[in-house]
Amino acid sequence: MSIEASIESTVDIKSVYSPTHAIDIKRPDDRHAVVKYEVANQVPAGDFRLFYDNAAGKLGASVLSYRPDKEQEGYFLLLATPQIESKSADRPNKTAIFVVDRSGSMSGKKMDQAKEALKFVLNNLREGDTFNVIAYDSSVESFRPELQRYDEPTRKAALDSPRASTRAGARTSTAR
């Protein structure tokens, strides 16, 4: 399955978010975004949802709420996107180390959420960033012995790695 959505706005797009799928977002400029989701050998478990905020002004803010039923407490997600202008066009490279608990207490929905978060961050690193994935239960394993420089081959290898997908759950699929 492959989904590609293009967003074009007359005002700046503040945020783009999918609460249901790990998406790849390309932002060629402040008023355009291209969202891609691709997966193979999987049957969709639910609807694909995509949200974006394009409010005028220096701060974009959106609230998504969910309440399973009136007898249970609900949840909300606040997306706040301030306009921060950099004095320099150069952004420093970052280092991300993902520590994933793959013990039995993380099975099911918690593990799925952890995997989706890991995929989201891996899909949004930039060339030159460094990263590694460490998974633990009764033992500790790392994706690679040292930090890896982010590029397409290392991103794909990390997403296909048993450390990234964890032994407690199914292997993650690669989203580009």
Side-chain angles (χ1 to χ4, degrees):
M1 177 171 67
S2 178
I3 297 172
E4 182 171 327
S6 296
I7 303 169
E8 183 175 331
S9 177
T10 57
V11 296
D12 291 353
I13 298 169
K14 302 295 187 196
S15 61
V16 179
Y17 175 72
S18 173
T20 57
H21 295 78
I23 56 175
D24 183 34
I25 305 166
K26 300 291 184 214
R27 309 268 313 249
D29 59 51
D30 292 338
R31 295 184 177 192
H32 295 87
V34 178
V35 176
K36 292 183 181 179
Y37 173 73
E38 190 170 332
V39 64
N41 302 320
Q42 286 188 6
V43 175
D47 293 339
F48 177 84
R49 294 184 181 161
L50 180 65
F51 297 95
Y52 71 94
D53 183 9
N54 63 349
K58 294 187 182 264
L59 176 70
S62 302
V63 176
L64 305 172
S65 62
Y66 174 72
R67 188 172 190 168
D69 64 47
K70 63 183 177 183
E71 301 301 320
Q72 295 181 348
E73 293 185 10
Y75 307 90
F76 75 92
L77 169 68
L78 171 66
L79 296 172
T81 311
Q83 181 179 14
I84 301 172
E85 294 187 24
S86 175
K87 295 179 182 175
S88 164
D90 295 331
R91 294 189 304 185
N93 291 335
K94 59 184 165 277
T95 297
I97 300 173
F98 308 96
V99 181
V100 181
D101 177 358
R102 64 177 180 202
S103 65
S105 66
M106 288 293 291
S107 64
K109 186 175 182 177
K110 287 191 270 183
M111 182 57 72
D112 292 341
Q113 289 173 329
K115 287 191 271 187
E116 288 301 314
L118 174 62
K119 288 192 315 189
F120 176 81
V121 175
L122 277 173
N123 287 329
N124 286 284
L125 290 175
R126 294 179 294 122
E127 296 278 332
D129 292 342
T130 55
F131 75 97
N132 205 346
V133 180
I134 299 169
Y136 72 93
D137 47 19
S138 58
S139 63
V140 177
E141 295 179 273
S142 63
F143 163 59
R144 298 273 168 83
E146 66 262 345
L147 290 172
Q148 296 297 294
R149 190 128 336 252
Y150 179 84
D151 57 21
E152 184 59 23
T154 58
R155 180 194 71 83
K156 185 168 176 23
L159 288 172
D160 290 340
S161 165
R163 255 69 75 219
S165 62
T166 75
R167 282 183 275 148
R171 291 180 64 95
T172 55
S173 62
T174 302
R176 289 180 223 174

